[in-house]
Amino acid sequence: MTGAGYDQGIVTAVTARVPAKVNLQLSVGPPRPDGYHDLVTVFHAVSLFDEVTVAPAERDTVVVTGEGDGSVPLDGSNLALRAVTALVDTLGPGCRDAPGVSIEIRKRIPVAAGLAGGSADAAAALAACNELWGTGLSPQELRDVASQVGSDVAFALLGGTAIGLGRGDQVTPALATGTYHWVLAFAAAELSTAAVYAACDRLRASRGGRPGQPGEARHPAPVGPVGPPQLDTALMTALRSGDPAELGPLLTNDLQPAALSLLPDLRRGLTAGREHGALGAVVSGSGPTCAFLARDARHARDLAVALAGAGVCRTVATVVGPAPGATIIGVAAEKS
Ligand code: C5P
């Protein structure tokens, strides 16, 4: 067995837990020749978790249960499966004794919601197989494999609050203090990340520059070509202060106008959240989930009740951030 040498015997299954993310800043550059966009983003992992269990098997398989399970592909396009394939390609076929691996994904993170749920499952599968096979890869080597699978996968491994550069896959932990209380409002619809980036490019082309955000004074709509994105130093200072009242007004998302153009009803949710005292209200990533920053745990509960009652979303969840990245939470073993 190539797996980790546990005293209790041969490892037969490993379970990892992995968080959803919101973006505190998401600044998008112009489209690159490869179709991606250079980003400067500040990722923030929140306490909404998927769990992934991997076990040796005759062939690679995926089973998905839970939130949005019907929308998750079970073929070779499944991100967790692609992550396992990328890891095997990196290590060589001798990295595992069994010919395949069974992947069981238990979902709580909604699918195609701007919360990087698919990337989270890929990160969990990487962390779990890394443990199952005792690969000896360093965290950075594992993140390099992750970035082959998707732009958000490396962050899901890291967790916490982190700056993302490049496609978002070059991640560095950010200096941040405090615990932040959020309400996530889940929409009935799904949005494809690629479609939202394409809508962002179209909006910018039609406006001759970067679109400003509704009610967003910090990014007035400039004209001219889109420049390289810059890290918001005021946001970084707010994160060091740990004060949600400082952070709230600084949340920005260049993809928000595009997400709103595709799902205009999201505006009602953002407005309702602000009316109920949210310190910040922003579309999460490519949407359609909206994230609302609350003053504290009690305010988050009140805000969640108000948003649920306003009928502006499918359902709500209260979460805290920062949450840890992909973490091994269970190892099953049998006597050797
Ligand atoms: O990397 P990932 O597979 O998660 O990206 C999904 C899609 O989102 C890409 O195919 C691309 O259209 C868009 N994207 C982008 N620029 C990024 C990240 C994602 O254009 N930095």
Side-chain angles (χ1 to χ4, degrees), residues 35-39 79 82 119 149-152 166-168 193-194 197:
Y36 283 89
H37 298 70
D38 277 324
L39 305 181
L79 283 178
R82 282 180 44 201
S119 300
V149 184
S151 306
D152 294 338
R167 287 186 294 132
T193 305
Y197 273 97

Side-chain angles (χ1 to χ4, degrees), residues 13-17 51-54 106 128 327-332:
V14 176
T15 299
R17 190 186 80 156
E51 286 180 11
V52 175
T53 299
V54 299
R106 292 180 294 285
T327 305
I328 305 298
I329 57 165
V331 177

Side-chain angles (χ1 to χ4, degrees), residues 207-238:
R207 293 181 189 180
R210 172 163 143 175
Q213 296 187 36
E216 166 54 64
R218 301 182 70 249
H219 281 173
V223 286
V226 179
Q230 307 284 339
L231 186 64
D232 184 341
T233 51
L235 180 86
M236 301 316 291
T237 305

Side-chain angles (χ1 to χ4, degrees), residues 187 191-192 195-197 199-200 202-203 207 211-216 253-271 274 281-292 312:
L191 279 177
S192 134
V196 175
Y197 273 97
C200 176
R202 280 197 307 276
L203 275 177
R207 293 181 189 180
Q213 296 187 36
E216 166 54 64
N253 179 359
D254 280 357
L255 293 180
Q256 181 161 309
L260 293 179
S261 75
L262 296 172
L263 286 178
D265 271 0
L266 294 178
R267 265 178 227 285
R268 290 175 50 229
L270 291 173
T271 304
R274 289 191 194 103
V282 73
V283 169
S284 174
S286 55
T289 303
C290 292
F292 302 90
V312 291

